[in-house]
Amino acid sequence: MTTANNRKRCFSCSRENNTYTCEGCSKRFCSIHIPEHHQRLNEELNHIIDDYNKFKQTINEQKQSPHDLSLVNQVNQWERNSIAKIQQKAKECREIVIKSSQTLLNDIEIKFNGLSEQIQRFQKENDFNENNLNHLRNQLRKMAKELNNPSNISIQQNSQTFISDISIISSKNLKFNKWKQNATTVAGGHGLGRKLNQVTDPEGIFIDKKKNILIVDYNNHRIVVWKCNAKEGQLIAGGNGQGNRMNQLNNPLDVIVDQQNHSIIIADFENSRVIQWLNQKQQILIQNIDCSGLAMDKNGFLYVSDCSNNEVRRWKMVEYNNEGILVAGRNGKGDQLNQLDCPTFIFVDDDQCVYISDQNNHRVMKWRKGAKEGIIVAGGNGKGGNLNQLCYPQGIIVDDLGQIYVGDCGNHRIMRWCEEKEKGEIIVGGNGQGNQLNQLDQPRGISFDDEGNLYVVDSFNHRIQKFVTVL
């Protein structure tokens, strides 16, 4: 609540008097009615706390009885009908369902603990308004929806002559996936060179809905697209030699697609600019920035990592003539939680949390919207090859359940980390530096298609590798 400097009407009694403004609803109240307004806010907070306690009880009940899930009962019924011939299959499906449920509960519990801290802070400080309460209420509703609507998994039956086989289908298909360890080369792989069937030291990558692969061809100063199953790429940006003209690029590092106008946005690193290409027409969006990574959130905001200034900034579309909004870093080069040291690839989730490959600190940082410092969600234990370490991390993706996938460049492997876990796991690579189908050499950008297949920019092998998912 803020004090007014003049006499205005009270919202409750309409009397003209010294009034106070509520920051949440922007209404003004006199000294008599401001306590009543605050009492109403307290009552609303108490209702939210009641909902919170009920939700907490629901979580505890489901954690104690994961076998009561309806999907598990369906698997059990199928097992009884098919008897011994499908017992092993039933066991596998049951484990997936239980693991999915437990993982969902763990994910919600993390968010729930954060909500608990907010409620306790409001109670302790007694400083909140309608906006705060609406935020708490919306967070509870969102978590309840996630918990009570397990539509992300279902049963798929494949009819056979004797029995109907079943498997578990999850829309969040990155969570429990494993990948075949031998990859298929889907772009490049013909040595370094300038031909359209070649790429040279590729960096970033973008997979569209048709499984077309946009590749940042770093040392060829161009962006090429390889259609699904194509034998060579097509030039879509640059390719006019190394330079700073509008139709040229100079060692680009990353590329994304603006879904609103289907243009491509490029981190033109050595030209210190972010440039947009639309139907062979170019427009410089941001200048004087050592851009190394790009991301765009669901609202169309563009995020750019600046490796020289050790920061990440955000721009609103069509408003690129300003310096943007700082979202991470800008506290000097260093390894403190409010610092970065050469940020490269970035990822932004639906809550506008920014995940940053903090290259020279050998860690991945997560900065929540509006935060003054980040938290370490992968690595952060020094440069190394142990499962709790990273070595010059690059490409980064976070799936719908918060799992973090990292191109562990110096260790020639791709890792998966869960937030708050002490170590990650190797999902592909990790078989030494090399050019065999189960090896990588300085992996950079990574991406998934809508089937969960993993694409890796195998930079020093001058190729893009596809690792097929298997359950």
Side-chain angles (χ1 to χ4, degrees):
M1 307 292 180
T2 59
T3 304
N5 295 323
N6 51 13
R7 298 166 65 88
K8 294 190 177 181
R9 291 185 181 277
C10 170
F11 178 78
S12 296
C13 65
S14 299
R15 295 178 61 187
E16 194 171 275
N17 206 335
N18 289 330
T19 57
Y20 307 86
T21 301
C22 173
E23 293 181 355
C25 66
S26 299
K27 296 173 183 176
R28 306 179 74 90
F29 299 90
C30 65
S31 58
I32 297 175
H33 292 103
I34 196 70
E36 295 179 1
H37 183 64
H38 195 267
Q39 177 61 31
R40 183 177 62 81
L41 296 180
N42 273 303
E43 292 173 357
E44 291 187 26
L45 177 61
N46 290 332
H47 288 311
I48 293 175
I49 293 173
D50 289 341
D51 292 339
Y52 159 88
N53 291 329
K54 293 177 182 178
F55 189 67
K56 181 178 180 180
Q57 182 180 355
T58 302
I59 289 178
N60 291 334
E61 289 174 353
Q62 292 206 18
K63 288 185 70 174
Q64 293 171 3
S65 304
H67 289 80
D68 291 341
L69 295 171
S70 62
L71 288 177
V72 175
N73 292 332
Q74 291 181 46
V75 173
N76 291 339
Q77 183 62 49
W78 171 85
E79 181 185 10
R80 287 191 293 270
N81 292 341
S82 301
I83 315 175
K85 292 183 180 181
I86 56 171
Q87 284 184 347
Q88 183 59 38
K89 184 71 173 181
K91 178 182 177 182
E92 295 172 357
C93 291
R94 192 160 45 242
E95 289 174 350
I96 293 174
V97 172
I98 294 171
K99 190 174 182 181
S100 175
S101 172
Q102 291 298 109
T103 303
L104 176 62
L105 288 169
N106 290 339
D107 182 68
I108 291 178
E109 195 167 34
I110 291 172
K111 299 177 182 177
F112 182 75
N113 291 336
L115 186 64
S116 177
E117 294 176 2
Q118 294 180 50
I119 290 176
Q120 291 174 12
R121 186 173 70 251
F122 289 154
Q123 287 181 300
K124 180 179 179 180
E125 298 177 356
N126 197 29
D127 183 17
F128 50 89
N129 56 45
E130 283 88 349
N131 291 336
N132 303 137
L133 299 181
N134 286 335
H135 173 74
L136 295 177
R137 188 180 294 106
N138 290 336
Q139 290 298 310
L140 270 177
R141 289 172 179 170
K142 183 177 179 182
M143 287 187 288
K145 184 178 180 181
E146 289 179 21
L147 183 69
N148 297 322
N149 186 25
S151 59
N152 60 310
I153 56 175
S154 60
I155 300 294
Q156 175 177 285
Q157 294 194 14
N158 300 314
S159 297
Q160 300 180 7
T161 55
F162 183 58
I163 60 172
S164 294
D165 194 8
I166 67 170
S167 58
I168 304 301
I169 304 300
S170 173
S171 62
K172 297 176 178 178
N173 53 12
L174 301 182
K175 184 63 182 177
F176 303 117
N177 277 7
K178 294 184 180 297
W179 290 265
K180 292 182 179 180
Q181 295 303 294
N182 284 347
T184 301
T185 301
V186 293
H190 300 286
L192 72 169
R194 298 181 179 179
K195 297 179 180 178
L196 286 176
N197 69 341
Q198 295 175 306
V199 291
T200 302
D201 299 331
E203 287 280 342
I205 189 174
F206 185 94
I207 310 295
D208 69 15
K209 294 180 179 180
K210 296 181 180 179
K211 296 185 178 62
N212 299 320
I213 311 168
L214 279 72
I215 304 168
V216 179
D217 195 357
Y218 176 79
N219 267 332
N220 284 325
H221 316 290
R222 66 188 184 185
I223 309 297
V224 291
V225 58
W226 286 62
K227 303 283 187 177
C228 185
N229 299 320
K231 300 299 182 183
E232 64 179 29
Q234 298 176 15
L235 180 67
I236 58 173
N240 298 302
Q242 182 179 13
N244 61 5
R245 298 196 310 269
M246 290 294 288
N247 69 341
Q248 292 180 306
L249 299 173
N250 190 351
N251 293 134
L253 288 179
D254 203 5
V255 63
I256 59 175
V257 174
D258 182 354
Q259 302 293 347
Q260 292 185 352
N261 59 17
H262 304 291
S263 67
I264 62 172
I265 299 175
I266 305 165
D268 192 8
F269 178 67
E270 293 292 349
N271 282 326
S272 299
R273 66 189 184 186
V274 176
I275 190 168
Q276 180 184 56
W277 284 61
L278 177 60
N279 299 326
Q280 294 304 310
K281 294 181 180 179
Q282 304 85 34
Q283 176 186 1
I284 297 176
L285 302 182
I286 307 167
Q287 300 187 75
N288 302 317
I289 181 170
D290 288 339
C291 47
S292 51
L294 303 172
M296 186 171 288
D297 67 20
K298 63 181 182 181
N299 299 314
F301 288 95
L302 176 65
Y303 296 71
V304 185
S305 61
D306 185 336
C307 60
S308 293
N309 288 319
N310 298 297
E311 65 182 21
V312 177
R313 288 186 176 272
R314 182 185 72 206
W315 279 263
K316 185 176 181 179
M317 295 297 286
V318 309
E319 293 184 3
Y320 294 109
N321 56 352
N322 55 41
E323 63 180 11
I325 298 174
L326 180 70
V327 296
R330 194 62 176 187
N331 294 297
K333 180 171 69 174
D335 61 2
Q336 300 303 304
L337 292 180
N338 67 343
Q339 294 178 309
L340 300 168
D341 188 353
C342 192
T344 56
F345 289 85
I346 54 179
F347 181 92
V348 183
D349 67 14
D350 287 345
D351 296 323
Q352 293 183 314
C353 296
V354 182
Y355 295 78
I356 306 164
S357 283
D358 192 7
Q359 176 181 274
N360 292 342
N361 283 324
H362 313 290
R363 66 189 184 184
V364 174
M365 300 293 293
K366 176 182 178 180
W367 287 63
R368 299 185 185 277
K369 184 179 179 181
K372 300 301 182 183
E373 63 180 29
I375 60 174
I376 300 172
V377 292
N381 296 297
K383 175 184 176 182
N386 296 324
L387 290 179
N388 69 339
Q389 294 178 305
L390 296 170
C391 182
Y392 302 111
Q394 297 293 318
I396 181 170
I397 291 177
V398 182
D399 67 21
D400 290 340
L401 295 180
Q403 276 196 148
I404 304 153
Y405 298 80
V406 186
D408 192 5
C409 183
N411 287 318
H412 317 291
R413 65 191 184 186
I414 309 300
M415 297 195 70
R416 175 167 58 188
W417 289 69
C418 292
E419 190 173 331
E420 298 186 351
K421 296 294 184 181
E422 294 182 356
K423 62 183 180 180
E425 60 176 321
I426 301 171
I427 59 172
V428 297
N431 298 303
Q433 183 179 15
N435 61 5
Q436 301 301 307
L437 294 180
N438 69 340
Q439 291 180 308
L440 300 169
D441 190 350
Q442 304 284 324
R444 307 281 179 164
I446 59 176
S447 186
F448 290 101
D449 63 23
D450 56 7
E451 295 177 355
N453 301 311
L454 171 62
Y455 296 75
V456 178
V457 176
D458 192 9
S459 185
F460 281 18
N461 282 323
H462 315 292
R463 65 188 184 184
I464 310 300
Q465 298 293 87
K466 176 182 177 181
F467 294 87
V468 177
T469 182
V470 291
L471 283 177

